[in-house]
Amino acid sequence: GENVEQHPSTLSVQEGDSAVIKCTYSDSASNYFPWYKQELGKRPQLIIDIRSNVGEKKDQRIAVTLNKTAKHFSLHITETQPEDSAVYFCAITGGSYIPTFGRGTSLIVHP
Amino acid sequence: SQTIHQWPATLVQPVGSPLSLECTVEGTSNPNLYWYRQAAGRGLQLLFYSVGIGQISSEVPQNLSASRPQDRQFILSSKKLLLSDSGFYLCAWGRRVDEQFFGPGTRLTVL
């Protein structure tokens, strides 16, 4: 089946700094790469996604980059704010109905 | 627009008792439905998914079962709860294999 590794498991930054979370995968058939944000006690919510025919996508302070050759994709958050503090999950989807999630990164933004 | 509901929101049950968690989706038809468990606030473990009424696929063998008696209803059950069943249970739906819209979740504590 598909496998995805997510790093780091915890990331602590100062407000205003950038944060980068990386996921690597093994299945070359993977073609959709979403990122979810889960605030404490809440449901995961999609914040940005990218498909295999695109190398980069940006939405205000967040961006996702995809390197299909190296089989990794990353979430970039610039000018971090305390409200960015949450657990972030990457996921991959290939040809099955079963999305595979990373183990999550706990991002802490210190004011 | 589509809405996903889960109930109850919180549940405290003794070891050995039965369990029934319900998930319903409004505003769409024939959705793919998923049950996830999240322990200790991290990691989404896919338990079951369904692509149609009466069609259930299990990802992790355990004392839980799922049923889909109606198109937009997904039920997670157990005959006898274990301590290890405690966690945050999330239902999700999608129209395509790469969509995951999560419900508000049920926090289950087994004592």
Side-chain angles (χ1 to χ4, degrees), chain B residues 8-100:
Chain B
T10 307
L11 190 59
V12 180
Q13 291 284 102
V15 169
S17 63
L19 173 74
S20 181
L21 302 181
E22 190 163 343
C23 170
T24 59
V25 181
E26 296 177 354
T28 189
S29 60
N30 197 32
N32 298 325
L33 295 172
Y34 308 83
W35 276 113
Y36 290 89
R37 177 169 61 200
Q38 189 173 36
R42 298 279 294 272
L44 292 162
Q45 181 187 30
L46 180 63
L47 302 175
F48 302 95
Y49 69 95
S50 172
V51 301
I53 296 175
Q55 300 179 59
I56 309 294
S57 295
S58 173
E59 289 300 299
V60 184
Q62 52 204 317
N63 68 320
L64 298 172
S65 62
S67 62
R68 185 170 177 173
Q70 300 180 46
D71 181 43
R72 290 169 292 174
Q73 184 185 30
F74 206 21
I75 298 172
L76 183 68
S77 304
S78 174
K79 292 182 180 178
K80 279 188 174 183
L81 283 169
L82 307 172
L83 285 174
S84 57
D85 290 324
S86 292
F88 191 41
Y89 287 81
L90 288 157
C91 180
W93 76 275
R95 286 161 297 205
R96 306 185 307 266
V97 297
D98 55 8
E99 277 187 336
Q100 294 278 289

Side-chain angles (χ1 to χ4, degrees), chain A residues 8-10 31-32 34 36 38 40-46 51 87 89 93-99 101-106, chain B residues 4-5 32 34 36 38 41-46 49-51 57 59 88 90 95-105 107:
Chain A
S9 58
T10 305
N31 54 22
Y32 177 64
Y36 295 84
Q38 186 179 26
L40 190 62
K42 302 283 185 64
R43 74 187 86 182
Q45 294 198 302
L46 179 70
R51 297 195 180 274
V87 177
F89 293 96
T93 305
S96 73
Y97 289 98
I98 310 172
F101 286 84
R103 294 182 61 82
T105 296
S106 178
Chain B
I4 179 169
H5 303 278
N32 298 325
Y34 308 83
Y36 290 89
Q38 189 173 36
R42 298 279 294 272
L44 292 162
Q45 181 187 30
L46 180 63
Y49 69 95
S50 172
V51 301
S57 295
E59 289 300 299
F88 191 41
L90 288 157
R95 286 161 297 205
R96 306 185 307 266
V97 297
D98 55 8
E99 277 187 336
Q100 294 278 289
F101 299 107
F102 289 90
R107 189 161 302 282

Side-chain angles (χ1 to χ4, degrees), chain A residues 76-91:
Chain A
H76 305 256
I77 306 174
T78 58
E79 299 171 35
T80 53
Q81 301 167 4
E83 51 265 38
D84 294 329
S85 297
V87 177
Y88 291 80
F89 293 96
C90 66

